[in-house]
Every structure is written in C-alpha cells, then in structure tokens.
Amino acid sequence: MDLPAISTKQRSTPGPFSALLTHRSLTFELAKRDVLGRYRGASFGLLWSLISPFLMLMVYSFAFGFVMKAKWPQTDNAHAHYSIILFVGLIVHGFFAECLSRSPHLITGNANFVKRVIFPLEILPWPMVMSALFHTFMNFLVFVALHLALDHTMAWTILFLPLVMLPLVLLTMGVSWLLAALGVYLRDISQITGVLATAMLFLSTAMFPVTALPPEYRWLLIMNPLSFIIDQAREVALWGNYPNWSGLGIYTLCALAVLYLGYAAFRLTRRGFADVI
C-alpha cells in the first residue's frame, strides 16, 4: 500500500497535535493499514472485531462470575448484569493494554521508516492509538447490544462516554511516545509492559469495586490510572449518572502533562534511533 508523499515543510512542524494535523492523511492511511492488516487472510475479516469481544466476555464471565462467584453491589438491585459491568472495565483496559504492549516496538518494528530522513517518526503512535480506538468502538457496539439484550435498558448518559475516554487517550499517547523511545535503547522493556498490562487489569476496578478490598489496600486500585476512567465509564454507560467533571478536568490536566513530556522525550532521543537500529 502506497503512502502519501511527505514534504520537507511538513517535517518541521512541532508539537504532538500539530504533527497529527500536518500529516493527517498519512496518519489515517497508516491506521487503516494497521486495522485491515490485522484481519488480512482471516475468513471472517473485520467481523472478528465483533466476535473477539464476545469470546473474551464469555471467558471472563465464566471465570469470575460462575467459578469465583464474583458479585457487584448494583447487581443485587438488578441495575445491571454482572457480565455487562465487567465488560466495561475490560474494554477500557483493553484499549490501554493494546497500546502499552505495542508501543515499545513502534520504532524497532518500523526500521525502514527510521532510515527515511523525511519520514515523521513522531506520528507513529497516532495510527496505533487510532487502531486501538477502532477496536474500542467495536467493543462498545457489542456492549450496547448485550446491555439491551440482558438488561433491557440503556442510559442516555452513554453519550458522555467519548468525553470520559478522551483523557485516557491523551495519557495513552504520552505513554506511547515515551515507551516507543525507550524501546529503541532498552529492548527488555517490552517484557515489562506485558506484565504491567496484566497487573493494571487486576489492580483496577475492572474486576471488582474498590469497596471489595480492605481500606488499607484500596489505594492500590485508586492509584491505578485506569480505575477512575473505568468507574466514570460505568457511571455514564450503566448507572445513568453524569461524569465527575472536576475529576475529569484534573485527570485531563495530568494527561496533558504526560502527553507533552512523552512527546518531548521522543523528540530528544529520536536522533539516535538510526544509529541504534
């Protein structure tokens, strides 16, 4: 697949957002190629983006809902089925975990781009995040269908869901730039991110509410950056409540700080990419 041409003028554009806007056609083309390439050769093609969430939910629901008899406070009042509550947490974690695990390989896995002097390497995390957002969107379509089928209701506040996810997207971009740069110089970091992604799942509110832990251990879940977004996603998608606007505002400011720090670290270290690779 041919990529759009890149001009020398475009290469000089600084900033995480201006980089995306300047090379938007290239970015969207790379994101499209990433999504389609994942299912190339599969008999069901893009349908796997809908089938996979069903299979994942069945496994986790059986393991935690049936075998381990996990409960959620709202299920006692028939506000939502346990599988649906669990699914929201898995979707949010799945988005972050996909980017976390793939980021260390963004540069080393695209060595041909590194050797192109005019290729804007700083845009590489954007197609990856867009691809992850596509799968997140497909997962939420499955969530809507299951929620209507199992609970026969849908809160209108689900419209706030993109606003709830936005701070996490910004945070993920910053982390992706940082890990992409570190992955060039520290190849072992990819082994750490896999373990970290699993730890962030089980040390978040994806599987159980924070009240399930003794008070002295609740800080482990509260400090996890996924827990707040998972809780807010459930508030708007399941419980019909408005999001915590002040909390989202503070989270967004912190996410922007991580975004710019990660981008700055990437820009500072990119000069040595070609020599190391």
Side-chain angles (χ1 to χ4, degrees):
M1 183 182 296
D2 295 330
L3 298 177
I6 306 166
S7 68
T8 305
K9 181 180 179 180
Q10 287 178 328
R11 185 183 59 173
S12 62
T13 305
F17 297 106
S18 56
L20 169 65
L21 295 175
T22 301
H23 306 288
R24 56 184 176 274
S25 60
L26 173 63
T27 303
F28 287 117
E29 189 64 36
L30 288 172
K32 177 182 176 182
R33 187 174 71 172
D34 186 271
V35 172
L36 295 178
R38 183 174 305 192
Y39 304 104
R40 185 176 293 116
S43 300
F44 292 101
L46 281 176
L47 280 178
W48 276 111
S49 62
L50 294 173
I51 298 172
S52 295
F54 274 113
L55 299 177
M56 176 184 65
L57 182 60
M58 288 174 60
V59 172
Y60 278 97
S61 296
F62 176 79
F64 289 92
F66 181 76
V67 177
M68 301 181 66
K69 306 295 183 182
K71 297 291 182 182
W72 211 275
Q74 286 82 352
T75 58
D76 296 335
N77 299 322
H79 286 171
H81 195 275
Y82 173 77
S83 297
I84 298 302
I85 300 174
L86 177 65
F87 197 25
V88 175
L90 294 178
I91 293 174
V92 174
H93 171 267
F95 164 74
F96 185 79
E98 178 179 347
C99 297
L100 185 71
S101 59
R102 293 182 59 189
S103 293
H105 305 287
L106 279 179
I107 304 302
T108 56
N110 293 283
N112 56 321
F113 291 158
V114 177
K115 297 175 182 178
R116 295 184 183 182
V117 179
I118 63 172
F119 188 87
L121 293 176
E122 62 272 9
I123 71 167
L124 287 178
W126 283 111
M128 177 193 67
V129 171
M130 289 180 180
S131 173
L133 282 174
F134 168 79
H135 292 97
T136 300
F137 174 74
M138 299 302 287
N139 288 344
F140 272 115
L141 287 182
V142 174
F143 160 78
V144 170
L146 288 175
H147 190 27
L148 289 173
L150 295 175
D151 302 318
H152 311 293
T153 184
M154 180 61 61
W156 71 269
T157 50
I158 195 174
L159 297 175
F160 291 115
L161 196 55
L163 292 178
V164 170
M165 290 293 295
L166 179 59
L168 182 61
V169 174
L170 298 176
L171 178 70
T172 304
M173 281 299 307
V175 172
S176 297
W177 268 308
L178 179 61
L179 292 179
L182 290 177
V184 176
Y185 302 99
L186 302 172
R187 301 300 175 92
D188 292 341
I189 199 169
S190 60
Q191 307 300 323
I192 300 174
T193 54
V195 177
L196 182 60
T198 303
M200 293 188 72
L201 173 63
F202 291 101
L203 292 178
S204 73
T205 54
M207 298 297 183
F208 43 82
V210 67
T211 54
L213 289 182
E216 60 269 23
Y217 297 112
R218 291 178 183 177
W219 65 271
L220 290 170
L221 272 63
I222 295 174
M223 293 299 294
N224 189 328
L226 296 182
S227 293
F228 178 77
I229 300 299
I230 291 172
D231 291 342
Q232 292 304 301
R234 286 174 176 145
E235 289 289 338
V236 300
L238 291 174
W239 319 138
N241 298 325
Y242 288 102
N244 182 345
W245 296 115
S246 59
L248 283 178
I250 295 173
Y251 197 108
T252 301
L253 291 177
C254 296
L256 284 171
V258 174
L259 174 74
Y260 278 91
L261 286 174
Y263 181 75
F266 185 91
R267 296 278 295 183
L268 286 173
T269 56
R270 63 167 294 174
R271 293 181 179 180
F273 290 171
D275 295 334
V276 175
I277 294 178

